[in-house]
Amino acid sequence: MSKPGESFEAQIALMLHSADFVIKEQPHKIMHKGKQIGDLDVLAQEPSSGEIIGVSCKDWHGQVPGSEQFSHLVEMLEFENLKYGIFASSGDIANTLPLRAEHVRNTKGINIVLLDHDEIARLKKFAYSKQTTDIEDYFKTRLGLITSKKRTIADEMRAQKDVAIGRTVGCERLLPVNFWNESPRYIMNNHDLVPSDSTLKLEPYLVINYRLYVQARHQNAGKPKESNDAGTVIVDAVRGTIVPENDPVFKHLIKYYANAEMHTAVQEKGFRIKKAESFVNQREVIRVVREQIAAQNEIRTHYTTAKNGQRQKIVRPRSDDVRIIGSYLIYVPVWDVKFNLGDKTYQRIYFGYDDDDVILDEMSKCQIKSCEYNTNSICLTCHSTMCDKHNRPCSACSDILCEICAHVCIDCRKNFCDKHNPQTVCGICRATLCKNCSIVLCTECKTVMCSNHREKCSRCNDYVCMSHIVSKKYILVAKNFCSQLCLNRFDEGYRSSGVFGRLKKILKK
């Protein structure tokens, strides 16, 4: 099961591999905005279901891992949107963790298996005796991954394809890459949203820092007029064009270009890399930039001649007056991610160093009734993006639908998906009625009625449909009855009452 000197993480990975799990990464770094915020020691995949399991291994001596380490695993699983985890210790585990694991499963829906020394030793015995099926059943049962679907060669091929590692692309002066090429985090049900295509584009830009000082002086003028300018020009190193200051690329580079790493190797892993090469002559570009800066900084000043005449003097800086402080060819990582949902395709283009800095996002706005509010979910039926105003979670399974696709109970306004759509409808208007709201029947014809198409009898309080209402006016108030019998009995009581008794009967609802 393990060899001398083999790490505890490798032992757990080998144990999972023997149970036919595919080891995707060991370890798996968790990145946010170009910085590592944590890791999972092993990332494994169950081939039949495709579910990903994050593993935290604690090979501690003389110390028992407890709540702090368990909480860190939960945090990393949540950040990666994983619902399955394993917390393994080469020794004991704090006795508070089983209750913590149960609480996390009930409140967050994350199923975490706890492995201490004794459990691992038991699994090793299975491995030594080649009882790999028992190991597989153990993990699948504890993780809740038992499925009636029989595993096929295609499952194994698909899982192995997922773990395939592509080519490595070297790059100098590349902004750090955030490898978040998944669904946007502002979408609450993003676990149902999987990219169909991800491309990491490495695009070169020439960043030029300059300084310019020039003055206009005349012998009869007073204090000379000065122009003291400093700034940054950014040039698209593929097209050779100057990037406008209001362009998202300009704003992004101004903010981050100093963080570019001198030498970087990026490896394809579930995505493609397209590295664009610079085709511009840097010396020629800098010459043109200096000329443009000089032309934009001419000075116009007025002075008085000896004969008290007014004259204007124009001083145009020479390109040599523009001092280049530094020029840097910077590669900017840009994610181009597509999502295919039914007959809809969405595209998101955003900077790889900061996924909140978006160039194009076709998912950002609600698509229901031309609404312009920000998206927070996607309808699982028509795949339209929705804001909080237009989403309708199913009351039975919590799947999120839009207000167009949801089936709504006309009385309680609860929403239902196609699978849980109530089969009962109002016998009058055919509107949907949920189980709790479909219990009112017409006392005469036994038709199920919604609140809009029924009336309560003024005498016995039974409900009757619109077709069987018996009405009579008392003074100016119409009273409804479920039958002629109830009307006659009400009428008898009304006639036998005094003036105040009659008013009370009329006004009573």
Side-chain angles (χ1 to χ4, degrees), residues 245-296:
E245 292 187 5
N246 62 351
D247 190 292
V249 173
F250 185 94
K251 297 175 181 178
H252 184 82
L253 267 170
I254 286 293
K255 186 177 180 181
Y256 294 122
Y257 80 89
N259 295 338
E261 297 174 351
M262 295 301 294
H263 303 285
T264 308
V266 183
Q267 191 174 58
E268 290 183 339
K269 193 179 295 185
F271 58 88
R272 297 191 310 275
I273 299 176
K274 288 186 178 180
K275 181 184 177 185
E277 298 297 338
S278 171
F279 294 111
V280 299
N281 184 319
Q282 292 191 32
R283 180 175 294 181
E284 178 63 19
V285 167
I286 290 174
R287 182 190 67 78
V288 173
V289 167
R290 291 173 73 176
E291 289 179 352
Q292 290 190 16
I293 294 171
Q296 294 167 1

Side-chain angles (χ1 to χ4, degrees), residues 180-182 195-203 270-274 333-339 345-352 359-362:
W180 183 267
N181 62 327
E182 302 297 329
S196 55
D197 181 68
S198 294
T199 302
L200 180 62
K201 298 178 180 178
L202 309 181
E203 301 178 347
F271 58 88
R272 297 191 310 275
I273 299 176
K274 288 186 178 180
V334 176
W335 282 109
D336 187 346
V337 186
K338 292 184 178 66
F339 302 86
T345 299
Y346 295 103
Q347 184 178 22
R348 293 189 80 232
I349 302 176
Y350 52 93
F351 294 106
I359 301 171
L360 170 70
D361 189 351
E362 294 180 345

Side-chain angles (χ1 to χ4, degrees), residues 89-222:
S89 170
S90 60
D92 292 329
I93 289 177
N95 55 16
T96 58
L97 293 194
L99 289 176
R100 288 288 309 278
E102 183 179 354
H103 178 73
V104 168
R105 181 171 60 252
N106 293 336
T107 58
K108 298 178 181 291
I110 301 175
N111 202 347
I112 298 177
V113 174
L114 303 176
L115 296 179
D116 60 10
H117 175 270
D118 293 340
E119 286 288 272
I120 293 171
R122 188 162 71 90
L123 291 171
K124 283 184 177 180
K125 288 181 180 178
F126 288 150
Y128 291 141
S129 57
K130 304 201 180 293
Q131 295 174 266
T132 54
T133 304
D134 292 332
I135 303 177
E136 182 178 1
D137 289 344
Y138 174 88
F139 280 114
K140 286 187 177 181
T141 302
R142 297 284 300 277
L143 287 167
L145 290 173
I146 289 296
T147 174
S148 58
K149 177 180 179 293
K150 292 185 177 181
R151 185 174 167 191
T152 65
I153 294 176
D155 294 325
E156 180 70 20
M157 292 171 62
R158 183 166 53 251
Q160 294 293 352
K161 182 179 179 181
D162 288 343
V163 77
I165 296 174
R167 64 196 176 104
T168 298
V169 176
C171 197
E172 292 193 358
R173 292 179 177 171
L174 172 69
L175 290 184
V177 181
N178 178 3
F179 288 96
W180 183 267
N181 62 327
E182 302 297 329
S183 54
R185 280 167 279 190
Y186 60 75
I187 294 180
M188 67 172 71
N189 58 338
N190 62 5
H191 54 277
D192 298 302
L193 188 61
V194 179
S196 55
D197 181 68
S198 294
T199 302
L200 180 62
K201 298 178 180 178
L202 309 181
E203 301 178 347
Y205 292 87
L206 187 61
V207 180
I208 303 170
N209 293 326
Y210 71 88
R211 184 173 297 156
L212 169 65
Y213 176 76
V214 66
Q215 63 177 212
R217 179 185 296 275
H218 189 273
Q219 60 183 3
N220 294 329

